Structure formats: structure tokens, C-alpha cells
């Protein structure tokens, strides 16, 4: 066998907590989150960056964690599905909406889908239908046909607007 | 039964776990001392295993290695028959057939090792097409390559055809389709002398796996245990295949003495596991000039791949659904499932019906065109009514109003106006629009005597605190089993849904409720849940501990009192086949299904004649389903099923090269994204089925039957292209358009 | 995940100078690794033959979009998201923005880079056709110097490019001279999002009232590299965008491209669609 590499230590922040991750430099962030930090909410669906089940946020940007080598996570702030609900167990508006409107069926795409939706709403708080479809186009769902996922996002926007006392437009 | 939660969109029982990422799928589990397992597979579609070489600079002594000779019981994955080996022994019959199993603690070293096992095959001639199989160019299975054949006959097809005004013929093809559940196949297995084999996995049918492992290991039934973990989609792809992966993990667990986890990556899952059976149908229809169907002569073939697996049952359902929701006195259906050297094809939502219904519904539009009649008028003149008999001789006992469904679907989709407007406006445009429909039915439950044979069981137990446990072998995989069982039990007992707990399907704990397939879970098993719940309640009523009108608090008190006095409060129900349903297996006639769902789907498309791309702009799905137990879940089933049907019609194309799927990546085998799908508009009608819980019939597979033909008919309307085959890829469509005489592109008829 | 991870090295150089020094010291041994959206896919399939990578993701010298009166200059690490979000690019270089918007999905766009897209040199790459329409230039650096070349000359064949083992793409520069041109982009993929291109047309024309003054016709996925159809352009220059000349141009195009059958599509399809996309473009000029 050709020369082998050693594991590396990478310091970063995951869901608000400073952590040190240790793995081979090109280990997938997906695997390190799941295996070392036991954050199994992020899933592998394809290993090719096509399905989005492994979506996480890196410094606020949505990425496919199956395509991120550990070495590149040095100094980065990462958020996974586990970091979405606020402390004290209150769910994010998008999570609540998925519960109420049936956005999740088998649930395997759901963590990635919810993060993608949350990320979309940060960038565009009042997306129309086409923008929702585009924002979620990197997250594949085989169960729902996306209809109740869109509905959940639309309702999450509506509820947030009501909570903020705004009269939201958009979708 | 008073309904309190049935009919309401009660939130998904395990929803909170799913939206927080806390739901635990099999790959989320780790066991102490666990090894990872991997499968080495045949590189050739057929041949003799000459040699297995372990090469490279790999520390092989650290590995657990299993081959066929390590199998303690019978080397087979038992299903209908026992022809499929668990591990190839001497001969291989398809690419990617499992030959060697490896396990090691280090999953990266394991992959490196897998690369260095060389399976040398002396090739034998292989069969890749249904034609070659039927022509017996090689005998690759049994005596004649035929897994199963059916012959259905009603009336006199030949004489009728002889005197008919019009005979319309056609051939239709459907391709393989990959289930593409987003969670790939996976299991963890454990073996010890005391408990035998235990398997945890992503699966639909724990008792199928149980039976297969009992035979593989030669163990008594109580030394095999199968537990279903949270399952990320199944669609039939996890009906029979999990027995194979479970067997592999269990063998490694036995040999190593440690728990073994096998998780397929996407490429392996696609290339090695089951797909929808490809099909070819020949239709020959005799019709009067005013559109009365006189005779239907149907020849239907499905490609089963290298081993029998479930092909006879897929063929059965496809055969029975082949003549549709129409009344015709003379019907003949000849069908067969044949062997080829492809990885065995298997269950996928619809299970034979999407294939035969595509052929029928596309064909009937052509029949209408041949006699100069509108396609909907042709259907109206032939829709079956209550009291008439279907092709296999089943008298339709339930009320059915296909005309009403058609009316409603057409009103919702503005079908007639669009049919005319698109025809008028398409000339000269590069983007041509079309609208088309399909009318169809789908039988719920196992065919004929199948439910009787399954003899499904459900148990229920009340706790001292008044909560109630449901023990059933039915699995949740997103379709809503847990939630609707809770609703059914809750309403029967007069409780809130959150007082009902659905136990994890674990063969050590729950009875065999039959497989979670065939659109049977709500209708058949749900009814058993209802009966079990009513049985519990009756026990309390008859014991005098409870009055009829008392509420939840009293129920809890009564349970506590009863349990303290008697030790436990349980009920147990076993399926009883309705005495008025008769099925003749030998002649393939009689009451095929207890109930049918009936539907009309309408698809509106835009065809870009410059690129062959088809966009579905709008989709209306109207169906009569008995009773909608949970509107959000039911709509979710139809929406998701239509999406899969759109994939089946337009996007999902398995590229075969010498019996192997060449495009086994999600980049190259494409399913629709959120940007590819239209608004899918779903509407239900309810004519309660007295034998279903609260009147419910099955709906899970229905949407796969009508979606593709509706789209094909819409494309034909838009362009005049005589679509005969799905998927209708842009490449195929452009070839069709190029072959058409230029004038034909002007008109918008079939 | 099929790769044997212990066999893969990745290190993070301090800055561009260190990166280039290491690449010069051992040419071809260390390869740059940017967003990983191509390389990680190969790694996971167990099909990444190269084993030693320098993590350049954080090199500030490779980031940023600079505008001058005449040019926009993009660092090689500019992501598709950054392209989409840049006001001047959106206004003056819509084809590049369209290419970026139709690459993968939001997650891919956050990590995919122009430099990576160019260096990976897939015949189906999304940004090269737009860059060729815009007469892009590439800045290539090494420990021994800097050179600019027209991007037109960069790719010489399938995965063959004018990039030595010790060299790195540092910047991409496009002149701000096509603002008034009519611009057209269409990618025909396997589906509407997350799709690999089967045929892609990026085109632009300067109209001298009623006539095509100057034109750029570039296609992706119909040749070993993105193809600037110079002979087709010659046919069109000076002509009115009318059916007769369109047919001549289509025939010229069909001869210039070299599509193939592959896992995603067919030669015939690509050729037919290339002709049809050209028609779409020329017809749009007549309007």
C-alpha cells in the first residue's frame, strides 16, 4: 500500500458548541458528524451530492456534507438539524409546519429538507412558489411529490409573519 | 362506530422524531464490537465461478469471509419458492449476484479489501430480452424460462373479432424502474447460541425476513427475530429484498461472533437490488363503430430477471388489471413472466398493474381515434357498473360511478375546453400543449385467496393507565401506518389518539399481520385493528366495569380494575375471509379482490418540440376510496404516487449494458426534483366499503396505475406522436416526431 | 463511501505562495482542491486516482470579484452563488449568471467554483460556454511566474488543458464589452434542476440594425470541450437573422460539433437539439 496519512484534528463549532474533530483529512464531514458527534440526524442518501439528505449549514451556507472533507471545516460554524430547535425544546417554525401540514412521510429527507427550507427563508423571507421550488431543488423526496413540503414552507412563512405582526405577501 | 379522529388530519405519530432528526434509521445505530459487512458480486451475467482470488496487500486474516459453503441450512432466500441462492455456489445467473461476504471493523479497509477480491467467471451465454427468453435461445431457468403463465378467458374472443366493425391492434412497452427510496438498504445482524439470529433493518415485511432466515439457518422459529427500524421509504423495494441483505449480515454475524452492519451505498443499491418488471403488452380490440367494446385480446409479458422471487404475483396483478374498469363480454388474457439474466425484478408499488394499465389506457385512446370517437366517449360507453362482471368474472358488488369521476376530473382540469383550445392553437408553435386522461381501478389486498392464505393477525393490549398497545406486523415507512392504526383504535375505544401506542414491529413481540404491501394495510389490517379494539372494549363492557357512554377516565379505571383482577387485558384477532368471496385459482376466475379503488387522472403537458422535453403543467387526480381516514396522509400518498408515476412516464430510464444497470448513480438515473413537478391536485370521493375500517379501501398503489398513461395520452394529443413506450425520454420523443409526416404535427388527435 | 481514506492526503497551505512553492517542488504530486463538488464524488465512488491535495479553499488571493471600467475579474474560487449575487455580473454577464443558476442546486452552488469547473474540464461543464462567449481570459500562476491566456486556447482536447503540473488558475477576466449584445442561454439537461447538461448553447449577437454585426456561438456537451462554433459564426456574421441563413448556419453547426452517444443521451439527439437551439437563438434576434 502507498504511503498512509495520519488523522488530523480540526477545531470548529457545531450547533453552537466548540468541538475538536479527529479523522482522516478527507473524511466526509457527514461521517464525522454522525460517528464522532453522534449527530445522526444528517443522513446519507446518495454519496454524490445529488439528494441533499446530508445538507448542513456551514457559516450560514447550505452545503452537502457528503462532499466536504474534514480538513476544510477548520474554524467553521456548522449547524445540523439537531441545532435547529431552540433550547428548551421549542421547534423552529418550519419544523412545526412540517408536523402540522404533513411535510414528512418516511422522514429520511426531512432533516436536509427542513434545513434547506430554513436556509431559503433566511435568504428570502417571502418566497413565491417558484422560489420555494428552486430553493428546495437540491433536496430529493421520493415520498411526497413535494406538495406538502411546499405547503409546510408557505404555512411556516405565514405563521412567522403573524407572529411578527406583519402582513406577509409572497407565495 | 363513532368517529372522532377518523376523517381528520391527525399529525403523524412519529412526526416529532422525524422533524428533529431524532428518528433512528438502521445506519444511525451502532452496537458494541460491531463489524461492517460488504458483498463481493459477480461481474458477469451468467457463468461458472472458476476461482475466487484474494489479492493485494490486505491483512486477510483479520477479515471474516463467508461463501456459500458457510450456510448452515439451505442456501436460498425462501420466498414463493426456493430457487434463489443466498450466495452463488458454482454458477452465477446475473451481474451483481452475491458471491462472497466480508466483514471487518474498519469500514475503509473493508472497501479496499472488497476491491481486491477477484471473482473469475467462465462465461455462459446469457439472455437479456423477453423475446430471446421466450424463443429459448438458452434455457436459463426451469425447463422453459417461464416462471409463471396465466390464461384468462371470458366469452368468445375469436368469433367476436371475426364479425367486428373495427379491430385495433397495438404493442406497448414499459421499462424497469428503480424504487429509489432515499434511505438505501441496510441491516444489522447479531448471532449468539442462546438467542439465535436477530436482525434489525429497513424493511417492509419482518415475517418474510423471518421465514427466509429460518430456512437459511435451519433454526427453529423462536430462534430467529426480526425487528423493523425506522424505514426511509420502501415502495416495494424493501418487500422481498431485505431477506437477502439480512441473510448476508446474519451469516457474517454467525461466523464472526460479532454484530455486523451492512449498509448499501446508492450505487450498490441501484445495481444489485430489485426494480419494477419491464413489460411488453399486445392489445387487440374489437369494437363497434359506435364504440362498444366487443372483445379484448391481451397478451402480457413481464421480465422477471434471473430468479422467480415474486414474479408470479406481479404477473397475477398485472393480468387481472389488464382489461380495466370496463364491461366487455369477451376477454382473453394470456400472460407470462419470463427469466432473463438480469438481477431479479421485484415489487414496486402497483406491482404489475402500472404495466398493463399503461398498455390498456394508451390503447383505448388509439381505439377511439381509429373509430373517430373522442377518447372519453369511448370510455363512457364501456365503463363497468354495479352488477356487471370484470374480465376475471368478478361481479362488481360495490357501487361504482366512473362517469361521475370522469365528470369531476374533467371539470377540475377544464379538460374539454383545453382539449379543443390546444388543438386549435398548437399549429405552428414549437411548444405544443396537450391534455389526456386515464381511467382505471386498483384492487386492494392480496388477490383471490391470498388474504385467506395470509391469515393475518393483530393483537392489542390495554395497560393499567388506560393506554392501549397495538401489536401488528405492519410497518410504517412514511405512508402513515402508525397514525391510521392509532386513529382506528382510538375511535373504536373512544380515546384520544395519543393514548394508543403502536409497538415496533418485532417478530418476538407482534403477530404476523401479513406483509405491508398490496394496498392492504388500511383496509385489511386496519379492519383487524378496529375489530381488536372493539373486542377489548366488549370485554370491559361485558365484565360490567365499563358503561357504553363512559369516557377516557372511566376507561382507564376499568382497565386498571380488570388487569388487577385478571392479570392482563388483551384481544387477538385473526383474519376471516368473507364467505361470499370465491376465487378459482386453477381457472383464474372469480372474486379477485374484496374491493377496488376507482380513479380518473388528467394530465396537462407542454411539449417542447425542439428538445423533446415534456413538462407536466397540471395534474388532477380524482379517486373513490371508500373512506379517507386521514386526509393529509391520504393526499400525501396520491401526491407521492403521482410523482413516482411522472418519473415512470418521463424521467426514469434504466440503461442496460449486458444485463447490468449502467447508470447506477442519482446523477444519471434521474427522478423528478421540486422543479420538475406540477401542482398535483388530489380529490377524493367516498362510497364506504363495509368491510374496511370506517369504510376505507386501499389506496397506496393506485396512483402508479393511471399517471403514466394519462401523460402519454396528453403527449399524443399535443403532438400526434403515437406513444407506445415509457419512459418517453426526450430522445425517444424527438425520434418519434422526426419520423412523423410533417402534416401530422399540425393536428392534435391521437 | 468506497475510498480508502488513509491513502488520501490533504494539507492546508498558509497562502498562495506556499501553495505554488509546494507544487513547484514536487510537480504533479500535489493537486489543488477547492470546493470538492467534483473531486469528492470521485473519492466516494472509489475512483479518485490522485492521492495528495492542497486545500486552497481559504486562500484569499483566489477570492473576490474586482470591477474596473473595462473588465470584471473573478478569483478562481468564486462560487456560483457569488456569481449569481453580483450586481454587475447579473446586469452585464447574464449568461454566466444563468449558467451558475442552473448548475446543481443551492448547496452545490455554494461550494462549486469557477476555477474548479474550468480545471475539471468536463465536456458538459456549465460555465465554460458562457466564458467563451464573453472572450474570457485566464490568469495562470506558478512559483516561476504569471501568464494570461485567452480561455479559448486553454482546452485542447478531452481533459487536456494548458495547465502545467506546477500551475494554478488564479483569476478569470471578462471584458465589459458585450453589454449591448443580445444574449441567449439554454441548457438542456436531464431535468430542470440538478441536471448534467446534454446540450448547452450560450450565444450573443451585436445587432447592426437588422443584421448580425458580430456573434458568438458556443456549445457545451457536444464536443470534448466547450466548443466555440467559429465556422457557424462566420456564416452568420453580416447576415439578417432569416430562415434561409439559419438553415445554412445549422448545417455548418452540425458539421462543427462532435456529439457522442453516452449514458445520458445520444449523438442524434444532441445534434438535432443543437440545431434547434441555434434556431431558437436566431429567431430571437429577428424579434
Amino acid at each position: 500500500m502507498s504511503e498512509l496519512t495520519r488523522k488530523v484534528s480540526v477545531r470548529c463549532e457545531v450547533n453552537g458548541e466548540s468541538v475538536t474533530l479527529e479523522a482522516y483529512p478527507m473524511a466526509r464531514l457527514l461521517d464525522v458528524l454522525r460517528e464522532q458527534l453522534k449527530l445522526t440526524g444528517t443522513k446519507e442518501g446518495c454519496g454524490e451530492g445529488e439528494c441533499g439528505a446530508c445538507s448542513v449549514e456551514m457559516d450560514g451556507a447550505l452545503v452537502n456534507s457528503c462532499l466536504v472533507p474534514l480538513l476544510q471545516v477548520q474554524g467553521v460554524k456548522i449547524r445540523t438539524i439537531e441545532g435547529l430547535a431552540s433550547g428548551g425544546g421549542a421547534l423552529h417554525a418550519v419544523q412545526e409546519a412540517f408536523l402540522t401540514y404533513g411535510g414528512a412521510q418516511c422522514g429520511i429527507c426531512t432533516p436536509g429538507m427542513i434545513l434547506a427550507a430554513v436556509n431559503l427563508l433566511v435568504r428570502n423571507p417571502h418566497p413565491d412558489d417558484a422560489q420555494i421550488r428552486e430553493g428546495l431543488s437540491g433536496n430529493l423526496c421520493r415520498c411526497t411529490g413535494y406538495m406538502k413540503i411546499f405547503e409546510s414552507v408557505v404555512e411556516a412563512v405565514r405563521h412567522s409573519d403573524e407572529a411578527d405582526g406583519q402582513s406577509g405577501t409572497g407565495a | 362506530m363513532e368517529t372522532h379522529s377518523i376523517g381528520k388530519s391527525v399529525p403523524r405519530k412519529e412526526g416529532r422524531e422525524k422533524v428533529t432528526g431524532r428518528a433512528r434509521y438502521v445506519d444511525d445505530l451502532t452496537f458494541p464490537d460491531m463489524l461492517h459487512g460488504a458483498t463481493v458480486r459477480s461481474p458477469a451475467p451468467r457463468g461458472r465461478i472458476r476461482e475466487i482470488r484474494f489479492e493485494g496487500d490486505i491483512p486477510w486474516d483479520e477479515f471474516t469471509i463467508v461463501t456459500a459453503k458457510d450456510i448452515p441450512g439451505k442456501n436460498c432466500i425462501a420466498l414463493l419458492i426456493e430457487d434463489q441462492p443466498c450466495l452463488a455456489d458454482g454458477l452465477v445467473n446475473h451481474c451483481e449476484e452475491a458471491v462472497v461476504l466480508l466483514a471487518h471493523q474498519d469500514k475503509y479497509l473493508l472497501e479496499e479489501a472488497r476491491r481486491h477480491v477477484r471473482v473469475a467467471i467462465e462465461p455462459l451465454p446469457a439472455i437479456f430480452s423477453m423475446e430471446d427468453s421466450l424463443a429459448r435461445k438458452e434455457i436459463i431457468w426451469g425447463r422453459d424460462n417461464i416462471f409463471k403463465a396465466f390464461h384468462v378467458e371470458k366469452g368468445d374472443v375469436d368469433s367476436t373479432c371475426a364479425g367486428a366493425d373495427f379491430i385495433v391492434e397495438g404493442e406497448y412497452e414499459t421499462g424497469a424502474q428503480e424504487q429509489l427510496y432515499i434511505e438505501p438498504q441496510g441491516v444489522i445482524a447479531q448471532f449468539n447460541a442462546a438467542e439465535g439470529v436477530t436482525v434489525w433493518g429497513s424493511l417492509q415485511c419482518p415475517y418474510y425476513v423471518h421465514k427466509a432466515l429460518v430456512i437459511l439457518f435451519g433454526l427453529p422459529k423462536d430462534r430467529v427475530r426480526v425487528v423493523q427500524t425506522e424505514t426511509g421509504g420502501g415502495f416495494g423495494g424493501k418487500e422481498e429484498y431485505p431477506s437477502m441483505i439480512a441473510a448476508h449480515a446474519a451469516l457474517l454475524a454467525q461466523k464472526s461472533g460479532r454484530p455486523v452492519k451492512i449498509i448499501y451505498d446508492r450505487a450498490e443499491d441501484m445495481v444489485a437490488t430489485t426494480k419494477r418488471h419491464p413489460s411488453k403488452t399486445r392489445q387487440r380490440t374489437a369494437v363497434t363503430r359506435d364504440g362498444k367494446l366487443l372483445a379484448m385480446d391481451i397478451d402480457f409479458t413481464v421480465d422477471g430477471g434471473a430468479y422467480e422471487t415474486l414474479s408470479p404475483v406481479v404477473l397475477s396483478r398485472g393480468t387481472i388489471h389488464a382489461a380495466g374498469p370496463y364491461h366487455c363480454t369477451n376477454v382473453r388474457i394470456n400472460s407470462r413472466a419470463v427469466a432473463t439474466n438480469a438481477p431479479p425484478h421485484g415489487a414496486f408499488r402497483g406491482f404489475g398493474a402500472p404495466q398493463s394499465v399503461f398498455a390498456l389506457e394508451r390503447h383505448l385512446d388509439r381505439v377511439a381515434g381509429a373509430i373517430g370517437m373522442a377518447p372519453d366517449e369511448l370510455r363512457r360507453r364501456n365503463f363497468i357498473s354495479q352488477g356487471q362482471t370484470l374480465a376475471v368474472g368478478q361481479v362488481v358488488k360495490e357501487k361504482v360511478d366512473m362517469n361521475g369521476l370522469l365528470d369531476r376530473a374533467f371539470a377540475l382540469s377544464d379538460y374539454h375546453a383545453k382539449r379543443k383550445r390546444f388543438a386549435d392553437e398548437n399549429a405552428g408553435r414549437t411548444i405544443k400543449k396537450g391534455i389526456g386522461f386515464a381511467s382505471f381501478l386498483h384492487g386492494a389486498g392480496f388477490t383471490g385467496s391470498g388474504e385467506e392464505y395470509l391469515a393475518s393477525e393483530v393483537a392489542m393490549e390495554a395497560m393499567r393507565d388506560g393506554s392501549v398497545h397495538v401489536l401488528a406486523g405492519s410497518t410504517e415507512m412514511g405512508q402513515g401506518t402508525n397514525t391510521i392504526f392509532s386513529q382506528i383504535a382510538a375511535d373504536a375505544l373512544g380515546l384520544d389518539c395519543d393514548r394508543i401506542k403502536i409497538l415496533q414491529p418485532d417478530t418476538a413481540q407482534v403477530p404476523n399481520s401479513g406483509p405491508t404491501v398490496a394496498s392492504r394495510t388500511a383496509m385489511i389490517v386496519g379492519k383487524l385493528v378496529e375489530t381488536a379494539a372493539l373486542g377489548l372494549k366488549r370485554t370491559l363492557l361485558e365484565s360490567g366495569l365499563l358503561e357504553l357512554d363512559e369516557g377516557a377516565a372511566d376507561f382507564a379505571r376499568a382497565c386498571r380494575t380488570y388487569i388487577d383482577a385478571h392479570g392482563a387485558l388483551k384481544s387477538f384477532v385473526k383474519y376471516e375471509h368473507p364467505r361470499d368471496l370465491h376465487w378459482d385459482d386453477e381457472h383464474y376466475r372469480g372474486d379477485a379482490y374484496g374491493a377496488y379503488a376507482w380513479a380518473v387522472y388528467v394530465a396537462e403537458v407542454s411539449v417542447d418540440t425542439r428538445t423533446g422535453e415534456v413538462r407536466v403543467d397540471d395534474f388532477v387526480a380524482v379517486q373513490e376510496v371508500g373512506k379517507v381516514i386521514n386526509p393529509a396522509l391520504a393526499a400525501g400518498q396520491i401526491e407521492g404516487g403521482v410523482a413516482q408515476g411522472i418519473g415512470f412516464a418521463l424521467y426514469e430510464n434504466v440503461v442496460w449494458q449486458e444485463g447490468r444497470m449502467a447508470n447506477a448513480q442519482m446523477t444519471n438515473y434521474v427522478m423528478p426534483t421540486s422543479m420538475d413537478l406540477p401542482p398535483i391536485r388530489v380529490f377524493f370521493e367516498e362510497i364506504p366499503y363495509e368491510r374496511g375500517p370506517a369504510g376505507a379501501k386501499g389506496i397506496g398503489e393506485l396512483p402508479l396505475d393511471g399517471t403514466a398513461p394519462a401523460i402519454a395520452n396528453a403527449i399524443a394529443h399535443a403532438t400526434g406522436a403515437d406513444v407506445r413506450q415509457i419512459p418517453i425520454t426526450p430522445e425517444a420523443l424527438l425520434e418519434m416526431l422526426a419520423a412523423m409526416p410533417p402534416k401530422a404535427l399540425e393536428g392534435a388527435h391521437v | 463511501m468506497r475510498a480508502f481514506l488513509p491513502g488520501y492526503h490533504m494539507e492546508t497551505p498558509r497562502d498562495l505562495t506556499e501553495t505554488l512553492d509546494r507544487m513547484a517542488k514536487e510537480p504533479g504530486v500535489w493537486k489543488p482542491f477547492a470546493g470538492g463538488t467534483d473531486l469528492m464524488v470521485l473519492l466516494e465512488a472509489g475512483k479518485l486516482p490522485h492521492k495528495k491535495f492542497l486545500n486552497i479553499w481559504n486562500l484569499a488571493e483566489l477570492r473576490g470579484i474586482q470591477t474596473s471600467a473595462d473588465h470584471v475579474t473573478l478569483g478562481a474560487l468564486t462560487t456560483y452563488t457569488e456569481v449569481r449575487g453580483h450586481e454587475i455580473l447579473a446586469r452585464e454577464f447574464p449568461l454566466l449568471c444563468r449558467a451558475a443558476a442552473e448548475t446543481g442546486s443551492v448547496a452545490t452552488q455554494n461550494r462549486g467554483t469557477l476555477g474548479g469547473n474550468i480545471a475539471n474540464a468536463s465536456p458538459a461543464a456549465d460555465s465554460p460556454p458562457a466564458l467563451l462567449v464573453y472572450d474570457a481570459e485566464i490568469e495562470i500562476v506558478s512559483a516561476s511566474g504569471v501568464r494570461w491566456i485567452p480561455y479559448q486556447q486553454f482546452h485542447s482536447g478531452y481533459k487536456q488543458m494548458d495547465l502545467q503540473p506546477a500551475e494554478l488558475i488564479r483569476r478569470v477576466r471578462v471584458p465589459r464589452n458585450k453589454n449591448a449584445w443580445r444574449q441567449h442561454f439554454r441548457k438542456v439537461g436531464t431535468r430542470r434542476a440538478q441536471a448534467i447538461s446534454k446540450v448547452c448553447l450560450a450565444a450573443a449577437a451585436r445587432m447592426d440594425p437588422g443584421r448580425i454585426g458580430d456573434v458568438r456561438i458556443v456549445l457545451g456537451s457536444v464536443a470534448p470541450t466547450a466548443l466555440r462554433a467559429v465556422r457557424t459564426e462566420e456564416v452568420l456574421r453580416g447576415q439578417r437573422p432569416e430562415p434561409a441563413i439559419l438553415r445554412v448556419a445549422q448545417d455548418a453547426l452540425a458539421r462543427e460539433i462532435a456529439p457522442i452517444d453516452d449514458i445520458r443521451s445520444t449523438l442524434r439527439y444532441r445534434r438535432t437539439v443543437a440545431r434547434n437551439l441555434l434556431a431558437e437563438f436566431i429567431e430571437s434576434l429577428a424579434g
Side-chain angles (χ1 to χ4, degrees), chain A residues 34-165:
Chain A
R34 288 172 54 81
E35 292 162 17
Q36 252 180 66
L37 298 181
K38 311 285 184 231
L39 294 171
T40 57
T42 309
K43 310 294 183 193
E44 173 165 357
C46 73
E48 313 164 39
E50 284 288 317
C51 73
C54 68
S55 303
V56 301
E57 279 183 333
M58 271 178 58
D59 292 332
L62 192 75
V63 300
N64 291 320
S65 63
C66 75
L67 298 185
V68 178
L70 181 70
L71 194 67
Q72 291 190 333
V73 158
Q74 176 71 34
V76 161
K77 287 187 162 70
I78 296 167
R79 183 161 73 160
T80 71
I81 185 70
E82 291 90 346
L84 194 60
S86 57
L91 296 181
H92 189 286
V94 171
Q95 287 171 308
E96 284 290 356
F98 266 63
L99 277 181
T100 311
Y101 298 99
Q105 286 190 27
C106 82
I108 197 76
C109 80
T110 304
M113 191 71 75
I114 288 177
L115 279 181
V118 168
N119 189 269
L120 168 68
L121 295 180
V122 164
R123 292 180 287 114
N124 182 354
H126 295 99
D128 62 24
D129 183 69
Q131 288 166 335
I132 296 175
R133 283 180 186 269
E134 199 213 338
L136 301 182
S137 64
N139 293 74
L140 299 180
C141 174
R142 192 54 157 166
C143 293
T144 66
Y146 306 101
M147 294 299 294
K148 295 207 172 338
I149 291 174
F150 298 148
E151 212 181 303
S152 301
V153 175
V154 167
E155 292 300 324
V157 171
R158 201 170 59 77
H159 285 235
S160 293
D161 286 349
E162 278 170 11
D164 293 346

Side-chain angles (χ1 to χ4, degrees), chain B residues 436-459:
Chain B
F437 75 94
S439 40
F440 55 104
L441 81 180
H442 196 89
F446 263 40
T447 309
S449 39
E451 287 299 336
E452 191 171 20
Y453 163 77
L454 283 177
S456 301
E457 300 172 347
V458 166

Side-chain angles (χ1 to χ4, degrees), chain A residues 1-2 7 23-24 26-28 31-32 34-35 38-53 80-85 88-92 94-111 113-114 129-151, chain B residues 9 11-12 14-16 18-25 27-30 57-59 106-109 112 177-184 230-233 235 261 265-267 270 348-349 476-479 615 631-633 635-637 639-641 643-644 647 652 664-681:
Chain A
M1 249 180 273
S2 53
K7 291 192 179 176
Y24 291 110
M26 288 186 76
R28 303 182 305 181
D31 295 319
V32 179
R34 288 172 54 81
E35 292 162 17
K38 311 285 184 231
L39 294 171
T40 57
T42 309
K43 310 294 183 193
E44 173 165 357
C46 73
E48 313 164 39
E50 284 288 317
C51 73
T80 71
I81 185 70
E82 291 90 346
L84 194 60
L91 296 181
H92 189 286
V94 171
Q95 287 171 308
E96 284 290 356
F98 266 63
L99 277 181
T100 311
Y101 298 99
Q105 286 190 27
C106 82
I108 197 76
C109 80
T110 304
M113 191 71 75
I114 288 177
D129 183 69
Q131 288 166 335
I132 296 175
R133 283 180 186 269
E134 199 213 338
L136 301 182
S137 64
N139 293 74
L140 299 180
C141 174
R142 192 54 157 166
C143 293
T144 66
Y146 306 101
M147 294 299 294
K148 295 207 172 338
I149 291 174
F150 298 148
E151 212 181 303
Chain B
S9 295
R12 175 175 291 278
E14 72 289 345
R16 205 172 176 91
K18 286 176 172 173
V19 303
T20 55
R22 283 203 298 271
R24 308 272 274 164
Y25 301 79
D27 195 23
D28 301 331
L29 306 174
T30 43
D57 185 18
I58 309 280
D106 179 341
K107 62 178 176 176
Y108 302 122
L109 184 61
E112 187 71 3
Q177 187 187 16
E178 162 56 40
Q179 296 87 348
L180 216 62
Y181 27 74
I182 303 292
E183 183 213 12
E230 193 75 75
T231 297
F235 319 114
K261 176 192 268 193
D265 64 14
R266 181 58 57 184
M270 285 215 208
F348 190 168
R349 200 170 180 184
E476 170 69 57
M477 44 177 153
Q479 81 286 50
R615 187 183 173 75
L633 292 179
Q637 282 303 282
E639 289 158 1
Q644 289 179 352
E652 298 182 40
Q665 307 83 27
M666 280 178 115
T667 305
N668 293 320
Y669 177 88
V670 293
M671 60 165 269
T673 68
S674 56
M675 286 179 71
D676 298 296
L677 292 174
I680 300 167
R681 304 193 283 133

Side-chain angles (χ1 to χ4, degrees), chain B residues 72-86:
Chain B
K74 186 166 180 195
N75 180 9
C76 74
I77 300 298
L79 193 55
L80 300 177
I81 62 174
E82 297 177 1
D83 66 321
Q84 182 178 30
C86 170

Side-chain angles (χ1 to χ4, degrees), chain C:
Chain C
M1 172 47 177
R2 305 231 180 174
F4 183 62
L5 282 186
Y8 286 89
H9 305 249
M10 184 184 275
E11 296 176 14
T12 307
R14 240 178 1 253
D15 53 26
L16 183 59
T17 308
E18 184 191 332
T19 308
L20 296 175
D21 284 344
R22 294 187 68 173
M23 288 171 72
K25 238 201 314 243
E26 302 181 272
V29 170
W30 291 91
K31 289 201 170 180
F33 187 108
T37 54
D38 289 316
L39 294 175
M40 289 299 284
V41 177
L42 293 173
L43 179 79
E44 302 203 40
K47 296 195 164 107
L48 185 59
H50 199 82
K51 297 287 189 341
K52 290 182 159 175
F53 295 95
L54 294 175
N55 169 24
I56 60 170
W57 181 250
N58 284 320
L59 293 185
E61 302 98 316
L62 300 177
R63 290 204 175 274
I65 302 176
Q66 313 302 331
T67 9
S68 70
D70 301 320
H71 290 91
V72 177
T73 307
L74 303 95
L77 287 180
T78 303
T79 65
Y80 296 111
T81 301
E82 286 163 349
V83 167
R84 291 181 74 181
H86 195 270
E87 205 187 310
I88 294 182
L89 288 178
R91 235 188 2 249
E92 297 179 28
F93 299 90
L95 306 187
L96 190 59
C97 293
R98 281 286 300 277
E102 296 188 27
T103 295
S105 60
V106 170
T108 330
Q109 292 164 18
N110 285 332
R111 293 277 293 175
T113 63
L114 279 186
N117 200 222
I118 291 168
N120 186 55
S122 162
D126 293 313
S127 58
L131 293 174
L132 286 172
V133 166
Y134 293 132
D135 300 324
E137 295 168 289
I138 312 277
E139 183 190 35
I140 296 169
V141 299
S142 69
S144 34
V146 178
R147 59 191 181 93
W148 283 92
I149 63 166
Y151 181 48
Q152 173 87 349
Q153 292 166 16
F154 181 73
H155 297 288
S156 52
Y158 176 70
K159 304 262 179 179
Q160 309 292 316
M161 61 202 94
D162 182 8
L163 189 69
Q164 298 307 308
E167 290 183 318
L168 193 69
I169 298 168
R170 179 158 68 178
R171 289 184 289 181
V172 177
R173 180 167 72 196
V174 282
R176 295 172 71 174
N177 59 10
K178 299 210 174 45
N179 206 16
W181 290 42
R182 306 274 288 274
Q183 307 197 26
H184 182 93
F185 180 87
R186 184 153 177 200
K187 168 180 167 178
V188 177
T190 51
R191 56 188 173 190
R192 254 159 227 283
Q194 293 233 98
I196 302 217
S197 163
K198 292 184 192 179
V199 186
C200 177
L201 172 69
R206 191 196 76 230
M207 301 304 286
D208 299 335
R211 286 182 186 275
I212 297 168
D214 196 0
V215 69
R216 299 281 181 276
I217 307 280
V218 185
L219 286 104
S221 304
V222 293
T225 69
L227 179 79
R228 188 164 150 201
V230 290
R231 280 191 281 285
T232 308
E233 290 175 5
E234 272 164 37
V235 166
L236 290 167
R237 256 184 213 99
Q239 301 292 333
R240 292 187 190 285
E242 283 164 357
I245 201 64
L246 169 59
R247 271 191 289 283
V248 179
Q250 285 177 315
D251 290 344
L253 185 65
R255 285 191 300 270
E256 262 193 289
I257 62 178
I260 58 171
D261 290 326
D262 68 11
I263 211 112
R264 279 178 288 277
S265 189
T266 64
L267 186 158
R268 281 169 63 94
Y269 179 81
R270 289 181 160 117
R271 194 168 55 209
T272 304
V273 173
R275 294 177 66 114
N276 290 347
L277 294 187
L278 184 65
E280 226 172 44
F281 172 55
I282 301 302
E283 284 163 17
S284 75
L285 298 178

